[in-house]
Amino acid sequence: MADQRTAPDFLAAVSFEWDERKNLLNLTKHGIDFDDASEVFYGSIILHQSDRNNEERWIAIGSLEDRLITVVFTAARGKMKKENIVTRKWGDRRKGKTDWARVDKLTDEDIAKAVANDPDAAPIDIDWSDAVLVIPARKKAISIRVDEDVLDYFKSQGEGYQRRINAVLRSYMQQKAKPKKRA
């Protein structure tokens, strides 16, 4: 690997956006829901940039439900038309509709055929020598006192409340670390 980074370097300000119609096509074609696919970014991934069709594309390989999967994505950064678009902010994790039993039954031949018939599939003859290993930042267990209503709010948002608290603290830290603008 040419480089190694921590997740906040590359993904700190990430939100996930996708066209729900494309998600349904992907679910039909490959069996994996985009809500589930976005989970790969919460662990270590191997990341490779691919500028296919003059579009900045990224290929991420990571673990999902104890399976190795590939996610191809673009850095749209709010350029998508708003109709049928689903947006998930970093930390807004939701269970998708992936049928894992169906995915587990796929043979290598089934996967190769699906990729060959997918116009969005990335070529498989990629030079991975300039890929980047992205590792999530290590967390440190601490004891912290917060107001009860604050904790109740974060817990009421569902699983992952500690990650959301961390995301809020990281955002605060990043805003305070920005250089002050002079008038």
Side-chain angles (χ1 to χ4, degrees), residues 93-117:
R93 300 168 81 169
R94 301 183 187 194
K95 191 80 174 135
K97 299 173 185 147
T98 299
D99 179 353
W100 291 111
R102 176 182 164 217
V103 171
D104 289 341
K105 289 179 186 173
L106 292 172
T107 64
D108 288 347
E109 186 177 277
D110 294 332
I111 294 168
K113 185 178 176 185
V115 169
N117 292 327

Side-chain angles (χ1 to χ4, degrees), residues 1-180:
M1 307 273 153
D3 196 359
Q4 178 175 323
R5 299 180 190 168
T6 59
D9 292 341
F10 183 78
L11 299 169
V14 165
S15 64
F16 305 99
E17 289 184 344
W18 60 81
D19 184 323
E20 187 56 23
R21 293 172 297 196
K22 190 157 187 166
N23 180 37
L24 294 173
L25 283 171
N26 195 70
L27 191 56
T28 301
K29 251 195 264 187
H30 304 294
I32 297 179
D33 184 281
F34 288 175
D35 261 319
D36 289 322
S38 66
E39 286 291 309
V40 79
F41 296 100
Y42 292 94
S44 296
I45 58 173
I46 297 172
L47 191 63
H48 183 274
Q49 186 173 357
S50 166
D51 293 325
R52 198 180 110 216
N53 298 332
N54 294 321
E55 178 182 45
E56 181 183 337
R57 288 176 173 243
W58 294 87
I59 303 168
I61 298 176
S63 179
L64 178 61
E65 298 281 331
D66 296 323
R67 296 159 183 91
L68 199 59
I69 70 160
T70 302
V71 177
V72 179
F73 63 100
T74 61
R77 295 185 181 95
K79 295 178 186 172
M80 299 181 80
K81 294 178 183 164
K82 293 301 174 198
E83 59 202 46
N84 299 312
I85 299 302
V86 174
T87 302
R88 299 277 186 267
K89 296 205 181 306
W90 184 258
D92 182 7
R93 300 168 81 169
R94 301 183 187 194
K95 191 80 174 135
K97 299 173 185 147
T98 299
D99 179 353
W100 291 111
R102 176 182 164 217
V103 171
D104 289 341
K105 289 179 186 173
L106 292 172
T107 64
D108 288 347
E109 186 177 277
D110 294 332
I111 294 168
K113 185 178 176 185
V115 169
N117 292 327
D118 186 346
D120 291 327
I124 56 173
D125 59 338
I126 296 170
D127 175 9
W128 288 92
S129 64
D130 60 349
V132 177
L133 175 61
V134 181
I135 301 172
R138 294 193 87 152
K139 305 289 190 243
K140 183 170 183 166
I142 63 166
S143 175
I144 185 172
R145 295 184 186 275
V146 296
D147 295 336
E148 189 174 353
D149 61 328
V150 171
L151 183 60
D152 289 344
Y153 172 79
F154 278 95
K155 283 186 168 184
S156 75
Q157 302 300 302
E159 256 184 70
Y161 73 93
Q162 291 171 321
R163 280 188 299 271
R164 283 190 297 281
I165 291 171
N166 188 73
V168 168
L169 293 171
R170 176 171 295 287
S171 176
Y172 177 85
M173 177 188 76
Q174 289 171 337
Q175 291 302 314
K176 289 296 184 178
K178 284 183 180 176
K180 302 273 189 234

